[in-house]
């Protein structure tokens, strides 16, 4: 199969990432099935997409007819096996934990046609950790998007130990066809390119915070004004979801056993009390105020 043969894409997980990945593919003409644990979660994901596209219509970037057509290409499918049976490519975007992802890949492997390629949007997990739950590790790869997928242009494509060259090329070409820019990692390692660089920066930021050198708000301000980054490390964590960064660190630690990879205390405290960032209205900052105000530990 080449990228030209891809007709139907299944996206598993209709959260922050999956819903927009599905929408981005549909905007570029693909028929997409979107799967989650319930119809309610699927509706929630599509509601967010609709709001994004309505903004584009209001700005004159697309017509209401184009919007309706793109939304019409997304089928909400709470039955994973049913969605899998017709899929040429699957993009898995469920919770960032190894076991649920392995279980999901095993189910997909059983239900998808033999030619189908299975990709994970995991932020850190290496595809070989997940692909060994299938009988098609050569057809499995990482396809790592950035939040929000309807805006961010980069996709990291990672070749696992057993991923075939054909699979890497197919995912890279599919990425281009849906209006995104691939970078290819020929060797797998946890965190890929961007998150490793980001993690190195975040580790230093948490060190400065834990040493009492500066508040997290001032560290954010320093990075934003001094390095011209659009968001400092703490504001960015809120934006992506604190649980996402927390779970990614736990998974990295499982591989490295390096205590430096464990979640920092300021992050752990907020996750444990359910302050997960923008999506819950509170994380490092409280979003009920304008501008958002820093929260205490
Ligand atoms: N948020 C980010 O900035 C970001 C960026 C890149 C990659 N990722 C990765 O994308 C994946 C999803 O992240 P997210 O931020 O969208 O999370 P999220 O919590 O917003 O969404 C996850 C969705 O998956 C669903 N789900 C869980 N188990 C499922 C299953 N077995 N079958 C079907 N659906 C299931 C949940 O109901 C939820 O709707 C994770 O692997 C994450 O690491 C996240």
């Amino acid at each position: 199969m080449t990228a030209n043969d891809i007709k139907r894409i299944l996206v598993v997980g209709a959260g922050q990432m999956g819903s927009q990945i599905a929408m981005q593919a549909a905007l570029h003409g693909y028929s997409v099935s979107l799967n989650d644990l319930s119809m309610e979660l699927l509706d929630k994901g599509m509601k967010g997409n609709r709001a994004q596209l309505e903004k584009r219509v209001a700005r004159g970037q697309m017509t209401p007819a184009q919007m309706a057509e793109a939304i019409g290409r997304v089928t909400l499918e709470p039955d994973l096996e049913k969605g899998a049976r017709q899929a040429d490519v699957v993009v898995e975007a469920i919770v960032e934990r190894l076991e649920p992802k392995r279980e999901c890949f095993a189910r997909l492997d059983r239900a998808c046609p033999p030619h189908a390629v299975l990709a994970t949007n995991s932020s850190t997990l290496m595809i070989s950790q997940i692909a060994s739950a299938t009988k098609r590790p050569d057809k499995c790869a990482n396809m790592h998007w950035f939040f929000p997928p309807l805006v961010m242009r980069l996709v990291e494509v990672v070749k696992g130990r057993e991923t075939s060259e054909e699979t890497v090329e197919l995912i890279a070409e599919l990425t281009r066809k849906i209006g995104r820019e691939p970078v290819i990692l020929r060797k797998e390692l946890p965190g890929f390119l961007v998150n490793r660089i980001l993690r190195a920066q975040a580790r230093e930021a948490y060190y400065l915070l834990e040493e009492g050198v500066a508040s997290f708000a001032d560290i954010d301000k320093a990075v934003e004004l001094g390095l011209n980054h659009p968001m400092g490390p703490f504001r960015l964590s809120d934006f992506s979801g604190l649980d996402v960064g927390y779970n990614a660190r736990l998974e990295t630690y499982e591989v490295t056993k390096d205590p430096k990879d464990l979640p920092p205390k300021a992050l752990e405290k907020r996750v444990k009390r359910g302050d997960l960032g923008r999506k819950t209205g509170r994380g490092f900052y409280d979003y009920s105020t304008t501008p958002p105000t820093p929260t205490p530990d």
Side-chain angles (χ1 to χ4, degrees):
M1 180 175 64
T2 69
N4 288 335
D5 303 317
I6 300 169
K7 301 284 179 275
R8 189 155 200 107
I9 298 172
L10 166 66
V11 178
V12 187
Q16 299 197 98
M17 295 300 294
S19 56
Q20 290 201 13
I21 293 170
M23 197 66 248
Q24 180 67 16
L27 281 166
H28 285 75
Y30 286 96
S31 298
V32 183
S33 300
L34 182 58
N35 167 265
D36 207 304
L37 301 171
S38 69
M39 205 60 194
E40 201 182 353
L41 288 162
L42 288 167
D43 284 335
K44 189 173 159 217
M46 279 314 278
K47 197 171 158 208
N49 280 336
R50 204 164 278 118
Q52 292 301 321
L53 297 197
E54 274 163 4
K55 282 188 211 158
R56 292 186 185 185
V57 171
R59 285 191 223 112
Q61 292 165 334
M62 70 191 307
T63 64
Q66 285 168 327
M67 172 176 156
E69 208 178 309
I71 287 179
R73 286 192 203 104
V74 182
T75 307
L76 303 184
E77 182 51 83
D79 181 339
L80 181 75
E81 275 71 21
K82 199 168 161 205
R85 277 198 287 276
Q86 302 169 19
D88 299 309
V89 170
V90 181
V91 183
E92 168 276 312
I94 69 168
V95 59
E96 182 70 356
R97 298 293 298 184
L98 180 58
E99 274 317 312
K101 284 191 191 291
R102 283 179 58 85
E103 198 182 304
C104 180
F105 265 59
R107 281 176 69 188
L108 289 168
D109 186 38
R110 286 193 294 271
C112 285
H115 71 268
V117 163
L118 313 182
T120 177
N121 183 46
S122 170
S123 307
T124 36
L125 296 166
M126 296 178 288
I127 188 61
S128 61
Q129 295 173 270
I130 305 172
S132 54
T134 75
K135 294 192 176 70
R136 62 179 92 195
D138 58 313
K139 292 195 175 67
C140 296
N142 291 88
M143 184 186 198
H144 180 224
W145 295 66
F146 291 81
F147 180 71
L150 282 172
V151 176
M152 296 293 281
R153 290 171 58 216
L154 184 69
V155 173
E156 292 175 322
V157 181
V158 188
K159 185 177 189 310
R161 271 201 311 274
E162 294 183 70
T163 312
S164 70
E165 198 57 43
E166 194 190 345
T167 298
V168 170
E169 275 315 313
L170 181 122
I171 295 291
E173 188 52 25
L174 174 64
T175 301
R176 291 183 201 101
K177 281 177 176 287
I178 51 187
R180 294 291 171 254
E181 285 290 330
V183 286
I184 297 176
L185 281 77
R186 304 223 153 265
K187 255 188 199 176
E188 61 173 8
L189 78 178
F192 322 131
L193 301 180
V194 173
N195 280 345
R196 288 182 76 90
I197 294 169
L198 194 65
R199 194 73 58 76
Q201 182 200 282
R203 200 178 282 149
E204 186 62 25
Y206 277 109
Y207 168 78
L208 294 168
L209 178 68
E210 281 174 6
E211 286 296 301
V213 176
S215 66
F216 64 78
D218 271 358
I219 297 170
D220 273 349
K221 191 172 173 185
V223 170
E224 287 158 17
L225 303 185
L227 294 174
N228 224 8
H229 290 192
M231 281 181 245
F234 300 99
R235 211 183 303 281
L236 181 62
S237 303
D238 270 4
F239 190 63
S240 316
L242 296 190
D243 53 330
V244 175
Y246 178 81
N247 286 332
R249 281 174 172 82
L250 287 182
E251 292 297 353
T252 306
Y253 175 74
E254 282 305 310
V255 177
T256 66
K257 298 290 176 202
D258 181 346
K260 287 208 297 292
D261 289 323
L262 279 168
K265 285 198 179 53
L267 175 62
E268 185 162 48
K269 277 185 187 158
R270 286 172 173 81
V271 170
K272 294 249 155 99
R273 65 179 185 233
D275 291 347
L276 306 182
R278 290 263 271 257
K279 61 185 170 189
T280 59
R282 232 179 122 85
F284 280 99
Y285 296 88
D286 178 350
Y287 295 89
S288 64
T289 63
T290 313
T293 41
T295 57
D297 267 4

